[in-house]
């Protein structure tokens, strides 16, 4: 068979980079970055190249499976697709008849390919769609909304033209987005400065001009002192402040006690260093980006840390600025029509959401809700019973704290279904596993990217499925056919694409040349006078009425974090360049590169515990322990230990990952109840462990 090239979209992480796939003999694949997207520079990250490890992995679910034994026991019956879809549809119909459609819930991992399955939920009549964001970026989203009326994705990070980038709990060179990394490297070659604020010296810190190792949980103190210094030295952008900031005086009064000297006591960062950094930053303004965070589900007050970051960006005039946070355009903003939506085929259900978002918690955005509160409703049946749950490309037993507790909540379900391309703890605990074809083996619906230069893109299948797996549109269509939703029944992806493109002036052939369809020729930077804040005053509102009405502070006073007793450590975590969350540790190529995670522990603390680099150590919490290899280093704060998330798999079907490394989420007892009341996200880093030599 001849070689062919296919433009597609990587599926190894949430970033979804544009790729070009060379296919030989219909099955051998070579993956590179889409060369038509300049910032990709033809590259993908290590996980991106390991996509072929995923398709040839014989340890992934290969046929639909229906549970035979108890939940989690691992006794499965292989089923045909007809049988499995009939089974799921029958159960969903039973639940619907008995408890109403609202008793059906689905959660996914967010992203641009959701319209079709969200339409399915609307068609059924349930409001209970959630995504994983309460375990990721919800605090960032809610803080952006609370200040500007617009979400976190209303602005781009214009790294390429930036003159100073600040990363705080954001490790861009390991928690990768290929285009962002390339753009930042280009900028740094031209003199852009990098500052990293972290609890440990990660790879990004290794490239930084300023690196601050803060005491875990004190980022807010650091940032309040930065605001104090910006105002005291009048470093703020006066024109921007006058035109766009409402509540500057309240802010000034609020930060007045939070001086750099005060912060030094909390964070451990000398006041003079903080001052030097702020001066540097102000000199680069407005072409500065203080990244508001991505995985910001860390502390009970992380929402306020994110707000302080957005406030700093605003004071420096970075909003709207080239090299700062310019506003992105939607298709409509550049005079084009957006994609036609399947969701618009059905009315928005008027039932209230099970997670309380939008009615019990009016200050939260109702789109993806808060999944942990939806799980709570499964147990309490308040406001009503939730009896069927589809984990759709989502692994909450790995991605939320305290998996044993979560299983108990799920035990009230009549039906638990996983749609997934890999094994996961959640799939293993399900009643039915519907195996998804990995991204190289499936077509996806068309998606639109809002950006400085918005475009449409599509994922096209590079190779035929190796096993008896299906694409998501086929799975949803199969259920829709059985559940009386004829509008969502399709036999060919082309018909879905044509539906989406109706009225856009674009045809599916237009994607052939480069894999995407640009909607504008050059990036658009909106004019200063037209910055579109969506608050009542059309400005950045330091005091948010929504927060006040919900009894929450807009300017929350600083509360010092708990300092752990000797021998105890705050458990911190993050990502590494070689793995994505919990779903690549059994990938044949990536597990070979990095089979397990290590426990970072500070040298002096390790000495006290008689632990040497490379020793095996026991990590414990409330009588539960796991053992792991220690990495003894000066490069982490003494109050913290750190692991890469996603390890510690215990499924016998995953032989490469089995029993390798430690699972951080099992050391978060009670963690489903520890969440940020103002920002909505889980506070994953409010947990402590003890460490001893194994
Ligand atoms: N303790 C602790 N908990 C965490 C984190 C942590 O660091 N520590 N990180 C948090 C963060 S930032 C997030 S985003 C969540 C992630 O939590 P999840 O969204 O649950 O994680 P993933 O592993 O990305 O995806 C879940 C499942 O989706 C399947 N999948 C199906 N289709 C696709 C696809 O097209 N692409 C990909 N990539 N996967 C697919 C995979 O097989 C996998 O089993 O977890 C959060 N939870
Ligand atoms: N290679 C790779 N890239 C990814 C992913 C992946 O799984 N693998 N996942 C994607 C996803 S879903 C997400 S959300 C992003 C996440 O990307 P990031 O938001 O960058 O998150 P993390 O890598 O979890 O953590 C970033 C840094 O926060 C530090 N940190 C921990 N606690 C604190 C603290 O209290 N204060 C400060 N200042 N720093 C702290 C950690 O040491 C770490 O270096 O990455 C995305 N990109
Ligand atoms: S960052 Fe890497 S894994 Fe994620 S989409 Fe891009 S190439 Fe794929
Ligand atoms: Mo995330």
């Amino acid at each position: 068979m001849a070689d062919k090239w296919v433009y597609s979209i990587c599926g190894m992480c949430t970033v979804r980079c544009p790729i070009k796939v060379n296919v030989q003999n219909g099955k051998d694949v070579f993956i590179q970055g889409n060369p038509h997207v300049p910032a990709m520079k033809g590259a993908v990250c290590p996980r991106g190249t390991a996509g072929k490890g995923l398709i040839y992995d014989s340890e992934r679910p290969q046929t639909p499976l229906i549970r035979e034994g108890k939940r989690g026991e691992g006794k499965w019956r292989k089923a045909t697709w007809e049988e499995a879809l009939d089974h799921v549809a029958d159960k969903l119909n039973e639940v619907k008849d008995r408890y109403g459609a609202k008793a059906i819930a689905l959660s996914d991992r967010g992203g641009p390919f959701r319209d079709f399955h969200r339409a399915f939920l609307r068609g059924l009549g349930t409001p209970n769609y959630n995504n994983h964001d309460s375990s990721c970026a919800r605090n960032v989203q809610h803080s952006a909304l609370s200040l500007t009326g617009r979400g976190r994705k209303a602005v781009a990070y214009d790294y390429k033209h930036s003159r100073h980038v600040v990363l705080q709990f954001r490790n861009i060179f390991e928690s990768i987005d290929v285009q962002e990394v390339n753009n930042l490297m280009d900028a740094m070659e031209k003199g852009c400065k990098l500052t990293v604020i972290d609890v440990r010296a990660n790879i990004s810190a290794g490239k930084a001009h300023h690196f601050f190792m803060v005491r875990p949980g004190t980022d807010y103190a650091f940032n309040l002192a930065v605001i104090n210094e910006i105002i005291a030295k009048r470093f703020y952008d006066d024109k921007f402040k006058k035109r766009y900031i409402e509540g500057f005086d309240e802010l000034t009064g609020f930060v007045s006690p939070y001086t750099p000297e005060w912060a030094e006591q909390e964070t451990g960062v000398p006041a003079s260093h903080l001052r030097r950094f702020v001066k540097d930053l102000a000199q680069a303004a407005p072409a500065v980006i203080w990244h508001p965070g991505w995985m910001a589900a860390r502390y009970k007050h992380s929402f306020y840390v994110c707000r302080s970051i957005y406030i700093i960006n605003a004071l420096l005039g970075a909003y709207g600025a080239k090299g700062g946070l310019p506003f992105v355009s939607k298709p409509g903003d550049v005079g084009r029509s957006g994609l036609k939506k399947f969701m618009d085929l059905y009315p928005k259900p008027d039932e209230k959401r099970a997670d309380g978002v939008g009615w019990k918690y009016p200050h939260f955005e109702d789109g993806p809700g808060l999944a942990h509160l939806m799980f709570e409703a499964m147990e309490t049946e308040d406001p009503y019973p939730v009896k069927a749950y589809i984990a759709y490309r989502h692994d909450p037993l790995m991605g939320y704290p305290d998996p044993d507790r979560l299983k108990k909540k799920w035990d009230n379900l009549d039906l638990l279904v996983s749609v997934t391309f890999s094994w996961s703890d959640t799939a293993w605990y399900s009643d039915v596993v519907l195996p998804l074809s990995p991204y190289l083996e499936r077509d996806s619906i068309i998606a639109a990217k809002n950006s400085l230069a918005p475009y449409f893109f599509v994922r096209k299948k590079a190779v035929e499925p190796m096993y008896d797996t299906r694409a998501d549109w086929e799975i949803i269509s199969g259920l829709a056919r059985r559940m009386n939703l004829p509008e969502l029944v399709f036999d060919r992806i082309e018909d879905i694409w044509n539906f989406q493109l109706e009225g856009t002036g674009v045809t599916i052939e237009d994607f052939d040349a480069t894999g995407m369809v640009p909607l504008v020729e050059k990036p658009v930077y909106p004019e200063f006078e037209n910055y579109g804040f969506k608050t009542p005053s059309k400005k950045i509102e330091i005091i948010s009425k929504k927060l006040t009405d919900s009894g929450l502070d807009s300017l929350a006073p600083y509360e010092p974090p708990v300092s752990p007793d000797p021998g105890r450590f705050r458990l911190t975590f993050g990502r590494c360049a070689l793995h994505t969350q919990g779903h690549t540790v059994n990938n044949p190529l990536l597990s070979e590169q990095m089979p397990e995670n290590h426990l970072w522990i500070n040298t002096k603390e390790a000495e006290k515990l008689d632990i040497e680099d490379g020793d095996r150590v026991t990590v414990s919490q409330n009588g539960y322990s796991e053992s792991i290899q220690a990495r003894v280093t000066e490069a982490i704060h003494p109050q913290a230990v750190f692991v890469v998330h996603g390890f510690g798999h215990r499924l016998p079907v995953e032989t490469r990952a089995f029993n390798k490394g430690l699972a951080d989420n099992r050391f978060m007892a009670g963690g489903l109840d520890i969440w940020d009341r103002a920002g909505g996200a889980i506070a994953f880093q409010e947990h402590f462990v003890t460490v001893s030599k194994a």
Side-chain angles (χ1 to χ4, degrees), residues 272-590:
S272 59
H273 294 195
L274 185 140
R275 288 209 161 90
R276 204 179 315 139
F277 153 64
V278 174
K279 191 171 168 201
D280 235 12
L281 186 65
Q283 275 168 356
V288 297
I289 301 169
W290 190 314
H291 196 290
W294 187 353
M295 192 339 176
R298 298 196 188 262
Y299 299 93
K300 278 188 278 190
H301 69 281
S302 286
F303 169 76
Y304 292 104
V305 184
C306 298
R307 271 178 61 92
S308 66
I309 297 176
Y310 279 120
I311 290 173
I312 295 170
N313 281 307
L315 291 172
L316 296 173
Y319 265 99
K322 193 165 182 177
L325 308 175
F327 293 95
V328 302
S329 296
K330 296 198 285 291
D333 300 328
V334 294
R336 301 291 297 261
S337 296
L339 296 170
K340 189 171 151 193
K341 287 190 181 160
F342 285 102
M343 272 175 82
D344 290 343
L345 291 172
Y346 307 102
K348 189 176 174 190
D350 45 21
E351 294 281 0
K352 30 189 200 182
R353 297 178 57 95
D355 58 12
V357 169
W359 57 279
K360 192 168 168 191
Y361 305 109
H363 61 294
F364 294 140
E365 182 191 36
D366 72 352
L370 299 173
H372 59 283
L373 297 182
M374 187 263 289
F375 299 144
E376 196 170 292
M378 289 174 184
E379 184 170 56
T380 59
E381 305 204 341
D382 177 19
Y384 47 75
V386 174
K387 288 292 182 184
Y389 169 47
I390 305 175
Y392 192 89
R393 302 159 60 178
H394 191 192
D395 181 9
L397 289 180
M398 173 64 68
Y400 279 85
D402 204 344
D404 289 339
R405 187 75 189 84
L406 187 51
K407 282 181 189 167
K408 289 225 168 68
K409 295 182 195 263
W410 288 357
D411 285 344
N412 297 310
L413 292 169
D414 292 348
L415 178 69
L416 173 52
V417 181
S418 257
V419 179
T420 176
F421 62 61
S422 61
W423 275 112
S424 66
D425 290 345
T426 302
W428 195 249
Y429 202 69
S430 297
D431 305 331
V432 183
V433 176
L434 299 178
L436 183 67
S437 303
Y439 67 101
L440 292 168
E441 297 181 347
R442 71 175 192 261
D443 298 304
S444 294
I445 62 174
I446 300 171
K449 174 82 176 168
N450 300 334
S451 75
L452 296 175
Y455 56 91
F456 293 153
F457 62 104
V458 64
R459 170 182 285 138
K460 287 200 176 168
K461 131 169 105 173
V463 292
E464 290 303 318
M466 297 255 303
Y467 304 117
D468 190 15
T469 58
R470 288 198 179 167
D472 13 21
W473 68 269
E474 293 174 297
I475 297 173
I476 294 298
S477 258
L479 290 174
R481 193 189 302 275
R482 290 163 173 83
M483 300 192 72
N484 201 22
L485 295 172
E487 307 81 6
L488 300 179
V489 178
F490 289 89
D491 293 321
R492 297 175 347 129
I493 186 73
E494 288 78 6
D495 296 332
I496 294 185
W497 290 338
N498 288 337
F499 173 97
Q500 293 184 281
L501 290 173
E502 227 178 277
T504 62
V506 174
T507 66
I508 193 63
E509 288 74 30
D510 296 341
F511 291 81
D512 290 346
T514 63
M516 46 219 338
V517 175
L519 301 178
V520 67
E521 270 176 28
K522 280 199 313 227
V524 181
Y525 291 85
E527 297 293 324
F528 184 78
E529 285 308 316
N530 301 331
Y531 291 175
F533 298 113
K534 286 205 174 141
T535 50
S537 63
K538 305 272 180 282
K539 296 181 178 182
I540 293 177
E541 295 183 353
I542 301 288
I543 307 298
S544 151
K545 185 169 179 305
K546 249 192 181 170
L547 290 176
T548 311
D549 289 350
S550 294
L552 294 159
D553 285 328
S554 290
L555 295 167
Y558 175 78
E559 284 177 30
V562 178
S563 281
D565 296 333
R568 292 183 88 218
F569 302 89
R570 191 183 288 271
L571 181 59
T572 71
F573 54 77
R575 271 127 278 285
C576 65
L578 286 165
H579 285 291
T580 300
Q581 308 293 356
H583 73 83
T584 57
V585 293
N586 200 53
N587 180 297
L589 301 173
L590 295 171

Side-chain angles (χ1 to χ4, degrees), residues 14 132-133 135-137 294-295 575 581:
T14 14
H132 72 195
D133 213 38
S135 68
C136 182
W294 187 353
M295 192 339 176
R575 271 127 278 285
Q581 308 293 356

Side-chain angles (χ1 to χ4, degrees), residues 654-674:
E654 297 181 308
T655 58
R656 292 174 289 263
F658 185 70
N659 251 340
K660 302 250 173 67
L662 174 146
D664 55 344
N665 63 326
R666 290 200 208 106
F667 292 87
M668 298 177 177
L672 288 165
D673 299 321
I674 305 176

Side-chain angles (χ1 to χ4, degrees), residues 61-121:
Q62 298 173 6
T63 64
L65 295 167
I66 299 176
R67 177 169 66 83
E68 294 241 283
K70 287 198 202 123
R71 279 202 181 126
E73 212 179 9
K75 290 194 185 142
W76 300 103
R77 171 166 65 84
K78 285 187 184 167
T80 62
W81 275 100
E82 291 301 304
E83 215 182 332
L85 292 173
D86 282 349
H87 180 87
V88 172
D90 286 351
K91 287 275 181 188
L92 289 176
N93 278 329
E94 269 171 36
V95 165
K96 191 175 168 192
D97 292 345
R98 181 139 179 231
Y99 303 97
K102 60 183 188 288
I104 300 172
L106 177 148
S107 69
D108 67 12
R109 57 199 315 283
F113 299 120
R114 293 179 291 172
D115 181 35
F116 201 57
H117 61 263
R118 288 192 70 182
F120 172 69
L121 290 178

Side-chain angles (χ1 to χ4, degrees), residues 13-15 47 132 136 168-172 174-177 197-200 202 214-219 293-296 298-299 572-581 642 685:
C13 88
T14 14
V15 170
R47 299 161 296 146
H132 72 195
C136 182
Q168 188 172 27
F169 48 90
R170 172 79 185 96
N171 182 9
I172 199 168
E174 292 178 272
S175 304
I176 297 172
D177 171 321
I197 305 159
D198 207 290
V199 295
R200 63 184 183 118
N202 54 24
V214 291
R215 180 161 80 90
T218 64
D219 289 275
W294 187 353
M295 192 339 176
R298 298 196 188 262
Y299 299 93
T572 71
F573 54 77
R575 271 127 278 285
C576 65
L578 286 165
H579 285 291
T580 300
Q581 308 293 356
F642 171 91
Q685 286 192 181

